[in-house]
Amino acid sequence: QVHLVESGGGLVQAGGFLRLSCAASGNTICIFAMGWYRQAPGKERELLARITRHGAITYGDPVEGRFTISGDIAKNTVYLEMNRVKPGDTAVYYCYAKDDLCYGDDYWGEGTLVTVSS
């Protein structure tokens, strides 16, 4: 089992900056990749960014060059820096971990709400 805890969400004005953190615990040695997704009301959950244990990074379409994922899976922590936020970025942001090294399970945090005011 892997447990994920997000932090850093809140209210931010459009054009501002926000940094989300995700801390993993448990069988973290099994994690191959971690990432961030978000889900806005009435919409499907969408991928924002993903980083592997080897440091390979993938970004989803919604990022538009404004978000940056960083961190070190070996240190059980990843971050999402959000720049030039827009009201359309308002959503619940979820940390995700993929166990490709032990059992093939997916893990999700409980999510942190980001609200961008115009």
Side-chain angles (χ1 to χ4, degrees), residues 105-116:
D105 293 328
D106 296 334
Y107 297 96
W108 296 91
E110 293 187 353
T112 184
L113 177 63
V114 172
T115 303
V116 182

Side-chain angles (χ1 to χ4, degrees), residues 4-7 36-37 92-95 108-114:
L4 303 172
V5 178
E6 304 98 337
S7 61
W36 291 94
Y37 284 72
V92 177
Y93 285 67
Y94 296 92
C95 181
W108 296 91
E110 293 187 353
T112 184
L113 177 63
V114 172

Side-chain angles (χ1 to χ4, degrees), residues 41-110:
K43 295 187 177 181
E44 294 185 354
R45 193 171 294 189
E46 56 186 359
L47 170 68
L48 297 175
R50 177 179 182 268
I51 186 169
T52 72
R53 184 173 286 273
H54 306 304
I57 292 174
T58 304
Y59 288 104
D61 291 340
V63 168
E64 302 173 328
R66 298 181 295 119
F67 299 174
T68 302
I69 189 170
S70 63
D72 188 342
I73 292 179
K75 297 180 179 178
N76 305 325
T77 305
V78 293
Y79 306 95
L80 184 70
E81 296 184 345
M82 304 167 57
N83 293 284
R84 306 188 308 278
V85 296
K86 306 174 182 178
D89 293 323
T90 295
V92 177
Y93 285 67
Y94 296 92
C95 181
Y96 162 83
K98 178 65 176 177
D99 168 11
D100 271 341
L101 302 178
C102 299
Y103 306 105
D105 293 328
D106 296 334
Y107 297 96
W108 296 91
E110 293 187 353

Side-chain angles (χ1 to χ4, degrees), residues 15-28:
F17 169 86
L18 204 61
R19 188 184 195 220
L20 305 182
S21 300
C22 175
S25 60
N27 288 335
T28 57

